[in-house]
């Protein structure tokens, strides 16, 4: 293996991204029409070789947060986490209620957010990058 190939392999296995991400606009559409189910996903990319242990907190306008939802993303993998499937102690994110999401990881990750809204015949797909927050120590 040449030096260029070794360098590429070393760079490919390096962790990338951040440890704390914010998604201020969460909303699970309350209904679906047609063949596709309305949903949203937190899309996580773990470029590093170590497992990423995530803690996800959900914040609401008029109630206490749903904190400490645990998810795992294996090293050098991606995972699409459907927000409607997350639960803690039997509590889930309600549909039709606005909320915000924070994602904390123990290794650097990249986070994207996607929503498919099929409540009307002209369905809408939205996908945006989450906002990474750096600590003062970075």
């Amino acid at each position: 293996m040449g030096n260029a190939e070794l360098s590429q392999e070393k760079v490919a296995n390096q962790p990338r991204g951040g440890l704390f991400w914010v998604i201020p606009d969460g909303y699970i559409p309350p209904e679906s029409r047609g063949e596709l189910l309305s949903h949203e996903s937190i899309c996580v990319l773990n470029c590093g070789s170590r497992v990423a242990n995530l803690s996800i907190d959900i914040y609401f306008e008029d109630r206490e947060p749903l904190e400490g939802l645990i998810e795992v993303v294996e090293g050098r993998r991606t995972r699409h986490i459907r927000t409607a499937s997350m639960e803690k102690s039997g509590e889930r994110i309600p549909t039709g209620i606005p909320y915000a999401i924070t994602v904390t990881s123990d290794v650097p990750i990249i986070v994207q957010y996607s929503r498919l809204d099929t409540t009307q015949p002209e369905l809408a797909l939205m996908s945006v990058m989450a906002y990474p927050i750096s600590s003062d120590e970075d």
Side-chain angles (χ1 to χ4, degrees), residues 55-69 86-89 91-94 97-102:
S55 178
I56 301 170
D57 296 333
I58 308 298
Y59 296 88
F60 302 99
E61 293 178 0
D62 60 354
R63 64 182 84 181
E64 290 300 308
L66 178 55
E67 298 174 302
L69 298 159
M86 296 190 310
E87 76 171 82
K88 183 175 181 185
S89 302
E91 189 176 359
R92 293 178 175 259
I93 302 168
I97 303 291
Y99 64 92
I101 306 165
T102 61

mmCIF file of all heavy atoms in Angstrom, residues 55-69 86-89 91-94 97-102:
data_model
loop_
_atom_site.group_PDB
_atom_site.id
_atom_site.type_symbol
_atom_site.label_atom_id
_atom_site.label_comp_id
_atom_site.label_asym_id
_atom_site.label_seq_id
_atom_site.Cartn_x
_atom_site.Cartn_y
_atom_site.Cartn_z
ATOM 1 N N SER A 55 -27.334 11.092 23.457
ATOM 2 C CA SER A 55 -28.393 11.443 24.393
ATOM 3 C C SER A 55 -29.207 12.548 23.719
ATOM 4 O O SER A 55 -28.658 13.590 23.352
ATOM 5 C CB SER A 55 -27.813 11.936 25.718
ATOM 6 O OG SER A 55 -28.865 12.303 26.591
ATOM 7 N N ILE A 56 -30.486 12.303 23.539
ATOM 8 C CA ILE A 56 -31.359 13.226 22.820
ATOM 9 C C ILE A 56 -32.384 13.797 23.793
ATOM 10 O O ILE A 56 -33.032 13.051 24.534
ATOM 11 C CB ILE A 56 -32.053 12.509 21.644
ATOM 12 C CG1 ILE A 56 -30.981 11.960 20.684
ATOM 13 C CG2 ILE A 56 -33.036 13.442 20.936
ATOM 14 C CD1 ILE A 56 -31.515 11.035 19.622
ATOM 15 N N ASP A 57 -32.497 15.123 23.800
ATOM 16 C CA ASP A 57 -33.477 15.813 24.643
ATOM 17 C C ASP A 57 -34.495 16.508 23.751
ATOM 18 O O ASP A 57 -34.140 17.090 22.719
ATOM 19 C CB ASP A 57 -32.803 16.855 25.542
ATOM 20 C CG ASP A 57 -31.850 16.225 26.546
ATOM 21 O OD1 ASP A 57 -32.046 15.052 26.913
ATOM 22 O OD2 ASP A 57 -30.909 16.913 26.968
ATOM 23 N N ILE A 58 -35.758 16.466 24.151
ATOM 24 C CA ILE A 58 -36.856 17.066 23.405
ATOM 25 C C ILE A 58 -37.463 18.170 24.273
ATOM 26 O O ILE A 58 -37.860 17.907 25.415
ATOM 27 C CB ILE A 58 -37.936 16.013 23.071
ATOM 28 C CG1 ILE A 58 -37.327 14.771 22.387
ATOM 29 C CG2 ILE A 58 -39.051 16.626 22.243
ATOM 30 C CD1 ILE A 58 -36.646 15.026 21.057
ATOM 31 N N TYR A 59 -37.566 19.377 23.730
ATOM 32 C CA TYR A 59 -38.088 20.534 24.463
ATOM 33 C C TYR A 59 -39.407 20.988 23.847
ATOM 34 O O TYR A 59 -39.542 21.052 22.627
ATOM 35 C CB TYR A 59 -37.086 21.686 24.414
ATOM 36 C CG TYR A 59 -35.796 21.349 25.111
ATOM 37 C CD1 TYR A 59 -34.761 20.729 24.431
ATOM 38 C CD2 TYR A 59 -35.623 21.638 26.454
ATOM 39 C CE1 TYR A 59 -33.573 20.406 25.078
ATOM 40 C CE2 TYR A 59 -34.442 21.324 27.110
ATOM 41 C CZ TYR A 59 -33.424 20.707 26.407
ATOM 42 O OH TYR A 59 -32.252 20.382 27.047
ATOM 43 N N PHE A 60 -40.365 21.321 24.719
ATOM 44 C CA PHE A 60 -41.694 21.736 24.294
ATOM 45 C C PHE A 60 -41.978 23.170 24.732
ATOM 46 O O PHE A 60 -41.292 23.702 25.603
ATOM 47 C CB PHE A 60 -42.754 20.814 24.901
ATOM 48 C CG PHE A 60 -42.571 19.374 24.534
ATOM 49 C CD1 PHE A 60 -41.950 18.494 25.416
ATOM 50 C CD2 PHE A 60 -43.007 18.883 23.322
ATOM 51 C CE1 PHE A 60 -41.777 17.161 25.085
ATOM 52 C CE2 PHE A 60 -42.841 17.558 22.972
ATOM 53 C CZ PHE A 60 -42.215 16.695 23.866
ATOM 54 N N GLU A 61 -43.020 23.766 24.155
ATOM 55 C CA GLU A 61 -43.425 25.129 24.529
ATOM 56 C C GLU A 61 -44.112 25.175 25.883
ATOM 57 O O GLU A 61 -43.970 26.151 26.614
ATOM 58 C CB GLU A 61 -44.385 25.699 23.469
ATOM 59 C CG GLU A 61 -43.743 25.929 22.136
ATOM 60 C CD GLU A 61 -44.730 26.440 21.105
ATOM 61 O OE1 GLU A 61 -45.934 26.623 21.414
ATOM 62 O OE2 GLU A 61 -44.307 26.663 19.957
ATOM 63 N N ASP A 62 -44.883 24.137 26.207
ATOM 64 C CA ASP A 62 -45.780 24.238 27.366
ATOM 65 C C ASP A 62 -45.689 23.070 28.340
ATOM 66 O O ASP A 62 -46.603 22.841 29.117
ATOM 67 C CB ASP A 62 -47.220 24.364 26.878
ATOM 68 C CG ASP A 62 -47.646 23.164 26.047
ATOM 69 O OD1 ASP A 62 -46.799 22.293 25.744
ATOM 70 O OD2 ASP A 62 -48.837 23.082 25.710
ATOM 71 N N ARG A 63 -44.611 22.315 28.299
ATOM 72 C CA ARG A 63 -44.455 21.181 29.213
ATOM 73 C C ARG A 63 -42.978 20.916 29.454
ATOM 74 O O ARG A 63 -42.121 21.427 28.733
ATOM 75 C CB ARG A 63 -45.153 19.945 28.676
ATOM 76 C CG ARG A 63 -44.552 19.454 27.379
ATOM 77 C CD ARG A 63 -45.274 18.267 26.824
ATOM 78 N NE ARG A 63 -46.428 18.754 26.070
ATOM 79 C CZ ARG A 63 -47.293 17.997 25.470
ATOM 80 N NH1 ARG A 63 -47.186 16.699 25.540
ATOM 81 N NH2 ARG A 63 -48.296 18.506 24.802
ATOM 82 N N GLU A 64 -42.699 20.106 30.430
ATOM 83 C CA GLU A 64 -41.319 19.763 30.758
ATOM 84 C C GLU A 64 -40.688 18.948 29.626
ATOM 85 O O GLU A 64 -41.388 18.222 28.910
ATOM 86 C CB GLU A 64 -41.262 18.957 32.067
ATOM 87 C CG GLU A 64 -41.590 19.782 33.296
ATOM 88 C CD GLU A 64 -40.623 20.940 33.488
ATOM 89 O OE1 GLU A 64 -39.400 20.716 33.482
ATOM 90 O OE2 GLU A 64 -41.101 22.085 33.633
ATOM 91 N N PRO A 65 -39.379 19.048 29.452
ATOM 92 C CA PRO A 65 -38.714 18.301 28.382
ATOM 93 C C PRO A 65 -38.750 16.788 28.606
ATOM 94 O O PRO A 65 -38.891 16.321 29.735
ATOM 95 C CB PRO A 65 -37.270 18.803 28.422
ATOM 96 C CG PRO A 65 -37.163 19.762 29.530
ATOM 97 C CD PRO A 65 -38.475 19.888 30.205
ATOM 98 N N LEU A 66 -38.610 16.088 27.521
ATOM 99 C CA LEU A 66 -38.420 14.641 27.525
ATOM 100 C C LEU A 66 -36.917 14.444 27.324
ATOM 101 O O LEU A 66 -36.400 14.655 26.226
ATOM 102 C CB LEU A 66 -39.236 14.015 26.388
ATOM 103 C CG LEU A 66 -39.161 12.510 26.175
ATOM 104 C CD1 LEU A 66 -39.517 11.752 27.444
ATOM 105 C CD2 LEU A 66 -40.067 12.108 25.035
ATOM 106 N N GLU A 67 -36.213 14.106 28.389
ATOM 107 C CA GLU A 67 -34.751 14.122 28.359
ATOM 108 C C GLU A 67 -34.148 12.724 28.436
ATOM 109 O O GLU A 67 -34.737 11.802 28.982
ATOM 110 C CB GLU A 67 -34.221 14.957 29.526
ATOM 111 C CG GLU A 67 -34.656 16.405 29.445
ATOM 112 C CD GLU A 67 -34.256 17.208 30.668
ATOM 113 O OE1 GLU A 67 -34.665 16.817 31.781
ATOM 114 O OE2 GLU A 67 -33.551 18.213 30.496
ATOM 115 N N GLY A 68 -32.942 12.612 27.884
ATOM 116 C CA GLY A 68 -32.163 11.393 28.026
ATOM 117 C C GLY A 68 -32.619 10.224 27.177
ATOM 118 O O GLY A 68 -32.460 9.077 27.569
ATOM 119 N N LEU A 69 -33.156 10.509 25.994
ATOM 120 C CA LEU A 69 -33.467 9.431 25.054
ATOM 121 C C LEU A 69 -32.133 8.924 24.501
ATOM 122 O O LEU A 69 -31.339 9.702 23.975
ATOM 123 C CB LEU A 69 -34.356 9.944 23.927
ATOM 124 C CG LEU A 69 -35.721 10.458 24.379
ATOM 125 C CD1 LEU A 69 -36.319 11.385 23.344
ATOM 126 C CD2 LEU A 69 -36.643 9.304 24.657
ATOM 127 N N MET A 86 -39.027 7.050 19.116
ATOM 128 C CA MET A 86 -38.256 7.216 20.349
ATOM 129 C C MET A 86 -39.192 7.294 21.549
ATOM 130 O O MET A 86 -40.249 7.910 21.470
ATOM 131 C CB MET A 86 -37.398 8.478 20.275
ATOM 132 C CG MET A 86 -36.352 8.432 19.195
ATOM 133 S SD MET A 86 -35.148 9.786 19.258
ATOM 134 C CE MET A 86 -36.158 11.217 19.366
ATOM 135 N N GLU A 87 -38.786 6.648 22.650
ATOM 136 C CA GLU A 87 -39.587 6.731 23.863
ATOM 137 C C GLU A 87 -38.711 6.516 25.081
ATOM 138 O O GLU A 87 -37.632 5.920 24.998
ATOM 139 C CB GLU A 87 -40.734 5.733 23.846
ATOM 140 C CG GLU A 87 -40.349 4.304 24.116
ATOM 141 C CD GLU A 87 -41.581 3.435 24.295
ATOM 142 O OE1 GLU A 87 -42.150 3.017 23.279
ATOM 143 O OE2 GLU A 87 -41.960 3.180 25.445
ATOM 144 N N LYS A 88 -39.191 7.030 26.196
ATOM 145 C CA LYS A 88 -38.529 6.831 27.484
ATOM 146 C C LYS A 88 -39.616 6.662 28.530
ATOM 147 O O LYS A 88 -40.499 7.509 28.642
ATOM 148 C CB LYS A 88 -37.632 8.015 27.826
ATOM 149 C CG LYS A 88 -36.867 7.801 29.121
ATOM 150 C CD LYS A 88 -35.905 8.916 29.399
ATOM 151 C CE LYS A 88 -35.156 8.626 30.686
ATOM 152 N NZ LYS A 88 -34.306 9.731 31.040
ATOM 153 N N SER A 89 -39.555 5.564 29.262
ATOM 154 C CA SER A 89 -40.538 5.248 30.306
ATOM 155 C C SER A 89 -41.973 5.324 29.766
ATOM 156 O O SER A 89 -42.871 5.845 30.423
ATOM 157 C CB SER A 89 -40.371 6.194 31.490
ATOM 158 O OG SER A 89 -39.065 6.117 32.007
ATOM 159 N N GLU A 91 -43.127 7.229 27.497
ATOM 160 C CA GLU A 91 -43.486 8.557 26.970
ATOM 161 C C GLU A 91 -42.859 8.758 25.594
ATOM 162 O O GLU A 91 -41.680 8.476 25.390
ATOM 163 C CB GLU A 91 -43.010 9.648 27.935
ATOM 164 C CG GLU A 91 -43.527 11.018 27.574
ATOM 165 C CD GLU A 91 -43.134 12.089 28.585
ATOM 166 O OE1 GLU A 91 -42.472 11.780 29.587
ATOM 167 O OE2 GLU A 91 -43.487 13.243 28.332
ATOM 168 N N ARG A 92 -43.665 9.252 24.667
ATOM 169 C CA ARG A 92 -43.227 9.514 23.294
ATOM 170 C C ARG A 92 -43.459 10.980 22.952
ATOM 171 O O ARG A 92 -44.201 11.677 23.635
ATOM 172 C CB ARG A 92 -43.991 8.655 22.296
ATOM 173 C CG ARG A 92 -43.699 7.193 22.397
ATOM 174 C CD ARG A 92 -44.550 6.426 21.379
ATOM 175 N NE ARG A 92 -44.225 5.038 21.372
ATOM 176 C CZ ARG A 92 -43.446 4.456 20.462
ATOM 177 N NH1 ARG A 92 -42.936 5.161 19.482
ATOM 178 N NH2 ARG A 92 -43.206 3.165 20.522
ATOM 179 N N ILE A 93 -42.884 11.403 21.854
ATOM 180 C CA ILE A 93 -43.118 12.748 21.343
ATOM 181 C C ILE A 93 -44.517 12.767 20.731
ATOM 182 O O ILE A 93 -44.828 11.944 19.862
ATOM 183 C CB ILE A 93 -42.080 13.120 20.268
ATOM 184 C CG1 ILE A 93 -40.669 13.033 20.844
ATOM 185 C CG2 ILE A 93 -42.357 14.506 19.710
ATOM 186 C CD1 ILE A 93 -39.575 13.099 19.787
ATOM 187 N N PRO A 94 -45.383 13.684 21.148
ATOM 188 C CA PRO A 94 -46.734 13.716 20.584
ATOM 189 C C PRO A 94 -46.737 14.266 19.152
ATOM 190 O O PRO A 94 -45.891 15.096 18.796
ATOM 191 C CB PRO A 94 -47.498 14.654 21.527
ATOM 192 C CG PRO A 94 -46.449 15.483 22.185
ATOM 193 C CD PRO A 94 -45.193 14.668 22.209
ATOM 194 N N ILE A 97 -47.487 18.644 17.665
ATOM 195 C CA ILE A 97 -47.019 19.582 18.686
ATOM 196 C C ILE A 97 -45.595 20.028 18.333
ATOM 197 O O ILE A 97 -44.710 19.180 18.174
ATOM 198 C CB ILE A 97 -46.986 18.911 20.084
ATOM 199 C CG1 ILE A 97 -48.360 18.368 20.472
ATOM 200 C CG2 ILE A 97 -46.419 19.842 21.135
ATOM 201 C CD1 ILE A 97 -49.402 19.418 20.745
ATOM 202 N N PRO A 98 -45.349 21.337 18.205
ATOM 203 C CA PRO A 98 -43.989 21.793 17.913
ATOM 204 C C PRO A 98 -43.036 21.484 19.073
ATOM 205 O O PRO A 98 -43.425 21.525 20.238
ATOM 206 C CB PRO A 98 -44.133 23.306 17.756
ATOM 207 C CG PRO A 98 -45.584 23.567 17.573
ATOM 208 C CD PRO A 98 -46.297 22.449 18.258
ATOM 209 N N TYR A 99 -41.808 21.190 18.732
ATOM 210 C CA TYR A 99 -40.784 20.931 19.737
ATOM 211 C C TYR A 99 -39.400 21.194 19.154
ATOM 212 O O TYR A 99 -39.259 21.440 17.957
ATOM 213 C CB TYR A 99 -40.901 19.508 20.288
ATOM 214 C CG TYR A 99 -40.655 18.429 19.274
ATOM 215 C CD1 TYR A 99 -39.386 17.890 19.096
ATOM 216 C CD2 TYR A 99 -41.686 17.944 18.489
ATOM 217 C CE1 TYR A 99 -39.166 16.905 18.153
ATOM 218 C CE2 TYR A 99 -41.476 16.959 17.556
ATOM 219 C CZ TYR A 99 -40.201 16.439 17.393
ATOM 220 O OH TYR A 99 -39.980 15.462 16.455
ATOM 221 N N ALA A 100 -38.389 21.148 19.998
ATOM 222 C CA ALA A 100 -37.001 21.315 19.576
ATOM 223 C C ALA A 100 -36.202 20.115 20.077
ATOM 224 O O ALA A 100 -36.596 19.438 21.030
ATOM 225 C CB ALA A 100 -36.424 22.607 20.134
ATOM 226 N N ILE A 101 -35.072 19.869 19.424
ATOM 227 C CA ILE A 101 -34.254 18.691 19.714
ATOM 228 C C ILE A 101 -32.815 19.124 19.982
ATOM 229 O O ILE A 101 -32.283 19.972 19.259
ATOM 230 C CB ILE A 101 -34.241 17.733 18.500
ATOM 231 C CG1 ILE A 101 -35.651 17.377 18.063
ATOM 232 C CG2 ILE A 101 -33.399 16.501 18.780
ATOM 233 C CD1 ILE A 101 -35.715 16.731 16.673
ATOM 234 N N THR A 102 -32.183 18.528 20.989
ATOM 235 C CA THR A 102 -30.726 18.618 21.123
ATOM 236 C C THR A 102 -30.175 17.201 21.087
ATOM 237 O O THR A 102 -30.790 16.264 21.600
ATOM 238 C CB THR A 102 -30.275 19.332 22.410
ATOM 239 O OG1 THR A 102 -30.731 18.615 23.545
ATOM 240 C CG2 THR A 102 -30.749 20.766 22.445
#
